[in-house]
Amino acid sequence: MGGVMAEKLGILGRKLGMTRVFDGNGVSVPVTVIQAGPCPVLQIKDMERDGYNALQIGYIEAKEKHMTRPLAGHCAKAGKGMFRAMRELRLENPAEYRVGDDLTVELFTPGDLVKVTGKSIGKGTAGVMKRWNFKGASSSHGAEKVHRSAGSIGNNTEPSKIWKGKKMAGQLGAKRVTTINLTIVAIRPEENVILVKGAIPGPKNGLVMVRKQ
């Protein structure tokens, strides 16, 4: 695999939001609703030609006038239309699939464990208490205007620098996040919907990748 670990099969989708459903025992279960697929296979990459094995899939239809000519020509080869989102899945044996095949929610069954990857909600610049859960400074004993500050970040003599990776104020969120060990509660193929137990990364309508684990 060219030094890259193979992934499990998956599809792209949109996070619609959260709700609750009742299981067979009448217990209320919090779920995230994901509208996923169908995702057509746009390209099959192999070790001989490309140096690695992968499937490229598309999601969210686009108008041709919004595509660059190279991308429009690339999508046209599959004969399934134009797509705004395209992702690769590195598989051990992508030759099992054909260009134009559709990947749907029926890849999964209730009870399966999946991992969901998305872009977390961006919170802008945040201080150390919000970003890293710092306790904050004392509220009394002469403390003035330092209650939410980070405190000392290093010494002058040793190490005479700030260590890389020091927890400080900065950009919070808007990063690629993967949540693992999520259980599929239900599949609704007629609506292209997956119900996953618990929360997943990203805002409403955010693009996510749902993969087998």
Side-chain angles (χ1 to χ4, degrees):
M1 293 298 294
V4 178
M5 187 178 295
E7 299 173 342
K8 296 290 184 71
L9 199 58
I11 56 175
L12 289 165
R14 290 187 304 123
K15 175 183 175 180
L16 298 185
M18 293 194 70
T19 185
R20 285 180 172 272
V21 296
F22 292 94
D23 65 12
N25 298 318
V27 178
S28 176
V29 180
V31 296
T32 301
V33 183
I34 304 172
Q35 189 169 49
C39 294
V41 176
L42 302 180
Q43 184 181 6
I44 297 172
K45 297 194 173 185
D46 59 45
M47 184 71 74
E48 243 178 71
R49 186 181 62 246
D50 304 292
Y52 61 97
N53 297 324
L55 285 185
Q56 186 188 72
I57 60 175
Y59 184 62
I60 307 177
E61 290 187 4
K63 295 180 179 178
E64 187 172 353
K65 67 179 182 179
H66 294 150
M67 307 286 286
T68 63
R69 284 189 179 184
L71 277 179
H74 179 68
C75 290
K77 290 178 183 177
K80 304 292 283 191
M82 307 293 157
F83 298 92
R84 287 170 52 192
M86 286 174 267
R87 298 289 187 274
E88 285 188 1
L89 291 165
R90 298 206 174 193
L91 305 177
E92 290 286 358
N93 190 16
E96 297 175 2
Y97 301 88
R98 295 288 179 267
V99 172
D101 287 354
D102 284 329
L103 304 183
T104 69
V105 296
E106 292 178 291
L107 289 171
F108 309 101
T109 55
D112 283 352
L113 287 180
V114 295
K115 54 185 177 183
V116 179
T117 301
K119 189 175 184 180
S120 61
I121 297 173
K123 307 287 180 116
T125 303
V128 291
M129 292 182 71
K130 183 175 181 179
R131 191 182 186 201
W132 301 111
N133 297 315
F134 277 24
K135 179 182 177 181
S138 171
S139 299
S140 59
H141 296 286
E144 183 180 357
K145 299 180 182 177
V146 294
H147 308 294
R148 298 183 66 84
S149 68
S152 173
I153 59 173
N155 297 321
N156 184 27
T157 305
E158 175 63 37
S160 301
K161 64 178 180 180
I162 307 303
W163 292 111
K164 198 175 276 190
K166 184 72 176 175
K167 291 181 179 178
M168 298 176 71
Q171 171 67 42
L172 176 60
K175 291 183 178 178
R176 180 184 167 97
V177 178
T178 300
T179 304
I180 64 173
N181 293 329
L182 296 171
T183 304
I184 290 182
V185 175
I187 301 290
R188 298 176 182 172
E190 67 283 356
E191 298 172 343
N192 295 317
V193 161
I194 304 171
L195 301 184
V196 176
K197 184 177 180 180
I200 67 171
K204 286 184 180 178
N205 292 318
L207 185 70
V208 295
M209 171 72 82
V210 185
R211 286 172 290 170
K212 292 183 178 181
Q213 198 162 289

